Amino acid sequence: MSHAINIAKVHKNYGNLHALAGIDFQIPQGSFFGLLGPNGAGKSTLINTIAGLTYASTGTVEVMGYDVRSQWRQARKSLGVVPQELVYDSFFSVIEVLRLQSGYFGYGRENYPWLDELLDILSLTDKANASMQNLSGGMKRRALIAQALVHRPPVIVLDEPTAGVDVELRKMLWEFTKRLHNEGHTIVLTTHYLEEAEALCEQIAILNHGQLIALDKTQTLLGRYPYRLLRLSLSLDFTLPTLPEALQSKVQSFELGELVLRLHREQDPICGVLECLRAANIPFLDLRTEEPGLEEVFMQLTSDREILS
Amino acid sequence: MNWRGFYTLFAKEVWRFLKVTTQTIFAPVLTVLLYLLVFASVLSEHVQVYPGVTYASFLIPGLIMMSIIQNAFANSSSSLFQSKMTGNLVFTLLAPLSDLEFFLAFVAASVIRGIVVGLGVLVAAMWFAPLTMHSFWILLGFTVLSSATLGALGVIAGLWAEKWDHVAAFQNFVILPLSFLSGVFYSVNNLPPFWQQLSHFNPFFYMIDGFRYGFFGLADSSIGLSFFVVSLSLIAMSVLCLWLLRIGYHLRN
């Protein structure tokens, strides 16, 4: 068994809505995996199906080789899920919540040192006895992460963990997830911050309209985008209509004297562009090229599908 | 069976209501004392239901069982629904707990709430009227069976409800009328024949009647029939509840 998660021909229907339409892919053990897609793409439905919070209409899901329906007990022991929303029980303190969660998984006092370690790692030790409802948003987020890890699951799903958190906490969460990954955990991350997925994930799946539209290593996915950006600083008296006709269709943006051209790697050599500018007598003060980010790849893939559909 | 998981969920549900005892224990006890004060003081001189038993004494077992019924239902329904609404139920659903373990934990916690409130009412009411005890085991049996039945019904209501209004409707339009019209304040034998017949279709009547038998050795119906109806109610509620949990009704869809 080499797959942490195996998703086989999963369909999920809500009446006439086809939330998942035949999703079929595997997440390798020990990988840092990104699950991306626009709102309503089916990411949450897929995560809920993996976690057993939603039952697939057809198809199967396995976590560490255990079917989430027929071998649900082992599958749930293998999985830790950090939900997107800040959900908590206002009746209990942080340490009480962790001890209860640990108990649900069959652990007793022998697991308390691990719970204390989790509090320490997530900088929550001094808040251990504070009521969950009195924590700040960032602390609640960290407490939810601790709650998902009480049973040391080999597979961890983080559903938009950095949504709405400040820069400092985001950085801390990045470091923490990298640490978990280095310790051998499989990490599945959904995020709206594409630079986050680009920086952390080794492999990425993109969903749109309940379908898998891309699945590849992050670098390969980036390489599939045939464009790069040329950023030119022009004099302030430059106006866009003076740009030669041949370059007009390649303009991505023009703002405050900075012109960004989107160039095809094979069909638009940079020397040709520079020649064109020189012929039109348009001087530039500086230039630099930029490789595409995941955002460009994502936008292209999702917009291609929009056009096809 | 994940015994520790079951025990933890059960302990959590008990711990939860013990954290707010003013609301979950003292308030229901006070309510019952007010009933007792008003009804017993006004009617004691005029009503005698069983020979040799004062009206206040007659009233106490019914009021105790009514508190048990209402609080057992409130415990599971409000806890489950609140967890569902705030979303923290997700952590219970992610845990390796079976439908049966989940069900038993909620129902057992409801039984404990029922017993604690029942004992509270009993201790407070003993100052108002003398009470005899015909059979401790009958009292315990009817307490456990009735509170478990209402605990299971509370889980069903908690699963079904999609807003607090639904929980309140269940409480106000099902639990409250059935418990008031079950012979708490009177003997159904004193009712006109139609209402007497109708009362025999109310399972709460058998809960109260059997419980009262445990005190006085006297009841409107036979103790065997009461035991049978209450047991059957528990089985029916449990089967329905476990089926709803199995299909993930309003939980895993």
Side-chain angles (χ1 to χ4, degrees):
Chain A
M1 179 195 58
S2 57
H3 303 310
I5 297 176
N6 182 17
I7 301 159
K9 295 173 186 156
V10 168
H11 290 259
K12 177 66 186 175
N13 305 319
Y14 293 103
N16 291 329
L17 177 70
H18 217 168
L20 296 176
I23 302 291
D24 197 305
F25 67 91
Q26 291 78 40
I27 298 176
Q29 270 189 43
S31 62
F32 204 129
F33 194 93
L35 187 59
L36 309 181
N39 287 331
K43 299 187 302 288
S44 293
T45 306
L46 184 59
I47 284 179
N48 287 343
T49 309
I50 293 168
L53 298 173
T54 297
Y55 296 147
S57 302
T58 59
T60 58
V61 178
E62 291 173 358
V63 179
M64 296 301 283
Y66 299 114
D67 187 288
V68 298
R69 291 298 301 273
S70 60
Q71 296 167 295
W72 56 270
R73 224 187 268 271
Q74 293 95 325
R76 288 185 205 170
K77 282 182 182 172
S78 306
L79 189 70
V81 179
V82 183
Q84 194 181 127
E85 292 83 18
L86 292 177
V87 292
Y88 59 90
D89 195 329
S90 57
F91 279 79
F92 300 102
S93 69
V94 177
I95 190 67
E96 286 168 350
V97 162
L98 295 189
R99 286 178 181 173
L100 288 169
Q101 192 67 22
S102 169
Y104 297 158
F105 280 85
Y107 295 106
R109 289 179 178 276
E110 75 282 1
N111 204 34
Y112 286 7
W114 168 239
L115 303 184
D116 292 337
E117 197 180 325
L118 272 176
L119 290 175
D120 184 44
I121 296 167
L122 289 159
S123 308
L124 285 169
T125 304
D126 59 334
K127 296 289 175 189
N129 295 307
S131 167
M132 286 291 287
Q133 66 182 349
N134 294 332
L135 300 183
S136 67
M139 286 174 186
K140 283 190 184 104
R141 177 75 62 190
R142 279 181 274 155
L144 291 186
I145 293 171
Q147 209 173 342
L149 299 179
V150 293
H151 57 296
R152 302 173 193 252
V155 185
I156 300 161
V157 176
L158 298 125
D159 195 0
E160 302 199 16
T162 53
V165 305
D166 61 31
V167 177
E168 196 182 345
L169 178 60
R170 184 178 302 177
K171 208 171 152 189
M172 180 259 164
L173 292 174
W174 280 27
E175 291 308 316
F176 183 64
T177 47
K178 276 186 201 169
R179 175 180 166 170
L180 290 170
H181 180 232
N182 289 337
E183 287 171 359
H185 294 274
T186 305
I187 309 289
V188 181
L189 175 78
T190 76
T191 178
H192 269 126
Y193 302 108
L194 298 176
E195 72 276 15
E196 184 169 274
E198 199 176 322
L200 295 170
C201 301
E202 299 160 342
Q203 206 176 350
I204 283 172
I206 300 179
L207 296 184
N208 199 20
H209 295 305
Q211 293 179 317
L212 183 69
I213 59 168
L215 171 68
D216 225 321
K217 290 192 169 127
T218 310
Q219 290 311 313
T220 314
L221 210 53
L222 292 170
R224 273 167 57 179
Y225 188 74
Y227 300 98
R228 61 183 155 181
L229 303 178
L230 177 65
R231 205 172 279 273
L232 295 157
S233 296
L234 303 167
S235 60
L236 288 173
D237 55 351
F238 169 80
T239 55
L240 209 49
T242 61
L243 195 69
E245 182 93 19
L247 298 180
Q248 288 284 351
S249 63
K250 304 182 194 309
V251 173
Q252 173 146 318
S253 66
F254 174 63
E255 203 174 351
L256 299 171
E258 189 176 72
L259 178 69
V260 180
L261 299 174
R262 194 178 74 142
L263 305 176
H264 195 280
R265 284 174 193 279
E266 289 164 5
Q267 294 161 14
D268 303 317
I270 290 176
C271 58
V273 174
L274 298 180
E275 189 66 32
C276 202
L277 288 170
R278 197 165 61 86
N281 203 21
I282 299 173
F284 56 85
L285 309 171
D286 194 11
L287 91 166
R288 62 194 160 98
T289 58
E290 276 178 19
E291 290 304 310
L294 201 49
E295 189 165 342
E296 283 78 26
V297 179
F298 179 82
M299 293 304 286
Q300 171 157 318
L301 281 167
T302 50
S303 62
D304 284 354
R305 288 287 164 148
E306 296 293 344
I307 293 161
L308 281 173
S309 64
Chain B
M1 183 92 177
N2 175 3
W3 285 107
R4 200 182 306 247
F6 153 73
Y7 176 75
T8 306
L9 184 56
F10 159 71
K12 180 218 159 193
E13 289 304 312
V14 173
W15 198 3
R16 182 188 158 280
F17 81 74
L18 290 178
K19 284 200 175 219
V20 281
T21 45
T22 308
Q23 179 196 335
T24 56
I25 297 169
F26 297 119
V29 171
L30 179 68
T31 306
V32 168
L33 287 181
L34 291 173
Y35 278 128
L36 200 58
L37 201 66
V38 172
F39 284 93
S41 60
V42 172
L43 298 174
S44 259
E45 302 299 315
H46 314 284
V47 181
Q48 187 175 49
V49 184
Y50 297 146
V53 178
T54 65
Y55 182 66
S57 300
F58 169 85
L59 201 54
I60 291 169
L63 288 172
I64 294 173
M65 183 47 86
M66 190 174 79
S67 307
I68 291 171
I69 285 169
Q70 290 178 352
N71 282 278
F73 174 83
N75 204 64
S76 52
S77 61
S78 65
S79 176
L80 179 58
F81 183 72
Q82 189 169 24
S83 295
K84 218 169 76 168
M85 280 300 98
T86 55
N88 67 287
L89 186 66
V90 71
F91 283 104
T92 316
L93 298 176
L94 287 167
L97 289 162
S98 67
D99 300 333
L100 182 65
E101 289 150 6
F102 183 94
F103 166 79
L104 288 177
F106 271 90
V107 169
S110 290
V111 171
I112 298 297
R113 166 93 172 260
I115 289 174
V116 171
V117 173
L119 278 174
V121 174
L122 176 67
V123 169
M126 276 164 60
W127 299 97
F128 285 79
L131 274 177
T132 56
M133 189 191 292
H134 175 70
S135 166
F136 170 76
W137 296 110
I138 286 178
L139 289 177
L140 184 66
F142 274 87
T143 300
V144 172
L145 288 173
S146 306
S147 51
T149 306
L150 270 295
L153 188 60
V155 175
I156 293 168
L159 291 172
W160 167 75
E162 287 174 340
K163 46 185 181 176
W164 276 113
D165 203 32
H166 290 161
V167 180
F170 217 103
Q171 183 102 39
N172 294 323
F173 296 108
V174 180
I175 306 299
L176 201 62
L178 285 180
S179 55
F180 262 70
L181 301 174
S182 58
V184 173
F185 301 100
Y186 52 84
S187 164
V188 293
N189 291 336
N190 296 337
L191 293 173
F194 172 76
W195 293 106
Q196 206 177 116
Q197 290 252 308
L198 202 64
S199 295
H200 286 84
F201 287 98
N202 178 2
F204 290 15
F205 158 71
Y206 297 96
M207 293 174 187
I208 287 169
D209 205 48
F211 190 68
R212 194 172 273 142
Y213 182 88
F215 280 99
F216 307 123
L218 295 166
D220 290 350
S221 186
S222 85
I223 184 67
L225 180 64
S226 293
F227 182 77
F228 174 75
V229 172
V230 177
S231 301
L232 199 67
S233 303
L234 176 57
I235 291 167
M237 288 302 112
S238 301
V239 169
L240 176 60
C241 190
L242 283 165
W243 177 71
L244 292 174
L245 290 170
R246 169 91 18 121
I247 62 167
Y249 179 73
H250 286 185
L251 277 187
R252 294 184 191 271
N253 287 312

